[in-house]
Structure formats: structure tokens, C-alpha cells
Amino acid sequence: MSTDVAAKRPKVVSPEPTERVDWKKRKSELKDSQKQRKEAKLIKQLDKQKKHEAEEQAKLQQQTENNKGRAYTVSVALPGSVLDNAQSTELRTYLAGQIARACVVFSVDEIVVFDEYGEDVKSVEGEFKGVGKKGQACIQLARILQYLECPQYLRKWFFPKHQDLQYAGLLNPLDSPHHMRIDDESEYREGIVLDRPTKQGKGSLVNCGMRKDVRINKQLQAGLRVTVQLNKIQNQESKVYEAVVVAPHVPRSEGGLYWGYSVRLASSLSAVFTESPHQEGYDLTIGTSERGSNVDQTKLSPFKHLLVVFGGLQGLEASVDADQELEVNDPSVLFDLYLNTCPSQGSRTIRTEEAILVSMAALRQKITAAFTDVSSDLLNS
């Protein structure tokens, strides 16, 4: 039996009608997508920039913290005639000790003793010949100031027995950071070069008030006072400590330590300015007087070398009148600032040793603020 099988054709299914593309909507979606990508990229860049700024600020902060040194110096000038206000040698010595203590408390780096009588006094060679002798007060004041500043273990070399120092042993010690005990640990020390033979190229030996002598990296003349920086690693079995000679300002400028004051004699008020040990002189000078401006309303700008000048028994006016080099009558024109550091004072007079304490106390925060503001500006810039 035969059966006819018809060829089956596949059914053609007609496609369903598709939805029309909304190009306007799609374009809007693409724009939104691009906008989001740009915003994300911008946010990423801002985050990266903020992170970089934070790292730079932290780095600068770390550098500021690591740099413990003090770049500026503070000097004080006063006439030696302030000792003439004392009635005996003992009181003159005590008055000099008060001045030294006041300067050390406020970390003064230089004390200038000037002669308001016009005597040409530039050294401490000489002897005190009695209370009220003109010219001798400057020498005696300078000698006592130098004696007190010198570490105790060095005084026997630098200060032989002298009439001016007859009562200096009774004065209160300054107890400065460089006045160290035998077992005190410090990176820096003051010492005297010893007259002892050493091997060629081995440097000199220095007495720094320690249990062992110190060998420095230079051959220097015996009897010199030197500032040394001890090596961080020492051979405990060695008979000496090893160190290098540094400039006297290094403990202050790099280590951030107050390292005592230097003493300078000036023959007149004008010589205080013209004979400055700094190459560019003092870039900020302050005169103190009850006729000056109120210190509370004064702001100090940053400086390298500050000089604060105090008058004697008759004030700065007497020092100006006695100075033949000066052709002015008003002392205020000599200074950048002329300040009254104790407004509304209860006494008619403020003694010079009192004026130093009052004035430096009033200026201390202003000095700190001047350099704190600079540091803040650097961090924010």
C-alpha cells in the first residue's frame, strides 16, 4: 500500500513587532553616565590632592618638630653705673648676681655693659678701686657676669683670685644647662684645652668636667675654652671620650639649648650698636622708658638679633647726653621701638635689675608669638 507523504514546509513565524528605540532618552542616559564618570574622576583627583597636601603638611610639621634649634638671639644692654647705686662691695656683687640671674631666666644670649660716662673701657683688666669710682663699675660688673656664666669646673683656670670676685662665691648659681655635674649626660659640653702632648693627627685633649678627658678632632692651643659635641657612640673601654669642636652657638641653633650668655664691654651707648658682633647688626632694637609706648599694645615682627637697652639711674636720657657721638636729644629715635614695659607703675622709679625682669617677662610671649605665627603661616601656605 502506498501512501503519499506531502513534504512539510516549516512554518514561517513572523517576528513580533519590536519597540522603537528612543534615541533622545538613550542620549540623555549616556550624558548622565559620562557626567557620573567625570564626577567620580574629579572626586578621586581631589582625594589624591588632599592626601598629598596632608602628607606635605605632616612632613613640614615633622621638620618643624625635629628642628629644635633657635635661630634668633636676644641681647640686653645696660650701663655699668647701676653698681654705683650699691653702698658696699658686697651689695655691688649681689646686684651683679641679680642681673645675671634675670638674664639667664629669660635666656638672654648677650649682655652688653656700656659706660654712660664716656670712658673708653673695652677690657676687664684692672681692679676695683672703691665704690663710686667712675669706669670701675663697668669692669667689675662685666667680670662678675663672666665669672657666673662660666661652668664651675672651669673657673679655676679662667678666673684667678681677684678683688672684684671677693664675694662672688656667695652668689646664687645660675644653674644654666651648660653648668653640668660630673655625671650629667649631654650631647654638648664646655671645656678647656689641656696642655698635654698627643700623637700627631690625634687632636687635643679637653677637660669637660667629666670622669674622662675628651679628645677633639683638632689640635688647638692650650688654655682655650671650647664647645664640644660628643660622639653618640663611645668606646667605654677607652681612656678618653671622642668629640668634635663646634661653634659656641651650635647648642642653641641646632640643639635648642640655652647655652649661657657672652659679655661685651662698650665705651658708650652708640658703641652698643656700632660694635655689634653680628655682621648685619641688630635688626630689632627696643629702648625701655616710662615715657615709651605701652608694651601691651605692641606686636613684634620676626627678627634675627634682638637688642633690649636699659638705662641707668638717670634713664636713657643721661646716656644719650653723655655720648658725644650722638647728636640727638630724644633717645626714642635711636630704637625701632621705645616701650614702657610697666604701665601704671606704683613706684616713682624702677631699678635696672627690676626693669630687666619686668621687661623680659612682658616681651617673652611676644617673642614666642612672633615666631609661632611664622611657623603657622608656613604650615598653612
Side-chain angles (χ1 to χ4, degrees):
M1 181 174 73
S2 63
T3 306
D4 292 335
V5 180
K8 294 183 178 180
R9 293 182 181 180
K11 278 187 177 182
V12 178
V13 181
S14 59
E16 295 180 0
T18 58
E19 189 177 350
R20 187 177 177 183
V21 176
D22 190 346
W23 294 107
K24 187 175 182 181
K25 182 179 179 182
R26 186 153 183 195
K27 187 176 181 181
S28 177
E29 291 175 349
L30 288 171
K31 284 185 176 180
D32 291 341
S33 177
Q34 290 176 352
K35 185 177 180 181
Q36 290 176 359
R37 285 198 299 270
K38 286 183 178 179
E39 288 178 350
K41 185 178 180 181
L42 185 60
I43 291 173
K44 189 176 180 181
Q45 289 177 345
L46 289 174
D47 289 341
K48 187 176 180 181
Q49 184 178 352
K50 286 182 179 178
K51 185 179 179 181
H52 178 70
E53 290 177 352
E55 290 175 352
E56 289 294 324
Q57 188 170 359
K59 186 178 179 181
L60 184 58
Q61 181 75 26
Q62 186 67 30
Q63 290 177 350
T64 304
E65 292 176 355
N66 291 338
N67 184 16
K68 300 180 295 183
R70 173 164 63 89
Y72 64 88
T73 65
V74 178
S75 300
V76 161
L78 71 159
S81 60
V82 296
L83 293 192
D84 293 336
N85 203 28
Q87 288 76 30
S88 66
T89 308
E90 295 94 323
L91 291 176
R92 288 168 73 99
T93 304
Y94 184 74
L95 178 55
Q98 284 183 299
I99 293 171
R101 285 281 304 172
C103 291
V104 166
V105 166
F106 292 101
S107 301
V108 171
D109 303 294
E110 179 193 29
I111 303 178
V112 187
V113 180
F114 65 89
D115 189 353
E116 63 180 353
Y117 297 124
E119 299 286 342
D120 189 13
V121 178
K122 293 188 178 180
S123 75
V124 293
E125 296 301 323
E127 295 186 6
F128 170 59
K129 298 180 181 178
V131 177
K133 295 291 183 180
K134 293 184 178 181
Q136 299 302 314
C138 294
I139 297 174
Q140 187 185 26
L141 177 57
R143 182 179 280 115
I144 296 174
L145 292 175
Q146 289 176 335
Y147 174 84
L148 289 175
E149 186 277 334
C150 184
Q152 291 88 332
Y153 56 86
L154 296 179
R155 288 175 181 171
K156 62 182 179 181
W157 279 288
F158 293 110
F159 294 94
K161 189 175 179 180
H162 194 282
Q163 188 177 356
D164 288 352
L165 303 174
Q166 183 178 357
Y167 301 100
L170 302 177
L171 296 177
N172 297 320
L174 301 186
D175 205 19
S176 299
H178 66 303
H179 287 197
M180 296 180 188
R181 284 72 173 175
I182 189 170
D183 292 320
D184 285 351
E185 294 185 3
S186 175
E187 183 179 1
Y188 302 97
R189 280 261 183 176
E190 289 290 296
I192 180 172
V193 179
L194 299 174
D195 187 13
R196 292 185 186 172
T198 56
K199 294 181 180 179
Q200 188 69 23
K202 287 291 185 179
S204 301
L205 291 176
V206 178
N207 183 343
C208 292
M210 306 172 74
R211 296 190 183 278
K212 300 178 184 178
D213 291 333
V214 177
R215 182 163 53 210
I216 56 176
N217 58 329
K218 293 182 179 179
Q219 194 79 30
L220 298 177
Q221 181 182 352
L224 289 178
R225 177 175 168 177
V226 293
T227 305
V228 303
Q229 184 177 15
L230 295 165
N231 296 353
K232 293 183 178 180
I233 300 177
Q234 298 285 349
N235 182 4
Q236 299 301 326
E237 297 179 357
S238 175
K239 293 183 179 180
V240 295
Y241 292 118
E242 299 290 338
V244 296
V245 178
V246 296
H249 66 79
V250 170
R252 168 187 58 81
S253 59
E254 296 184 8
L257 298 171
Y258 175 61
W259 212 244
Y261 55 77
S262 60
V263 180
R264 176 165 66 92
L265 279 165
S267 57
S268 62
L269 177 59
S270 59
V272 174
F273 301 89
T274 57
E275 297 175 1
S276 169
H278 309 293
Q279 186 174 2
E280 299 175 357
Y282 303 103
D283 52 350
L284 180 59
T285 57
I286 298 176
T288 58
S289 172
E290 60 182 359
R291 300 175 182 83
S293 305
N294 192 329
V295 68
D296 299 331
Q297 301 171 359
T298 303
K299 183 177 180 180
L300 301 184
S301 57
F303 55 84
K304 291 182 179 179
H305 306 292
L306 168 66
L307 172 67
V308 185
V309 182
F310 298 91
L313 305 178
Q314 307 299 325
L316 284 173
E317 290 79 8
S319 301
V320 171
D321 293 339
D323 195 336
Q324 298 179 356
E325 298 294 327
L326 297 176
E327 298 179 355
V328 297
N329 296 321
D330 184 6
S332 64
V333 300
L334 302 175
F335 306 97
D336 298 317
L337 297 172
Y338 199 56
L339 301 179
N340 179 1
T341 55
C342 188
S344 305
Q345 63 191 57
S347 174
R348 291 189 182 91
T349 58
I350 296 180
R351 298 167 66 93
T352 304
E353 65 274 18
E354 298 167 342
I356 295 175
L357 287 169
V358 172
S359 301
M360 298 311 297
L363 293 172
R364 184 185 64 84
Q365 287 188 335
K366 297 182 181 297
I367 292 172
T368 304
F371 291 94
T372 302
D373 293 343
V374 171
S375 301
S376 301
D377 293 342
L378 288 174
L379 288 174
N380 296 328
S381 60

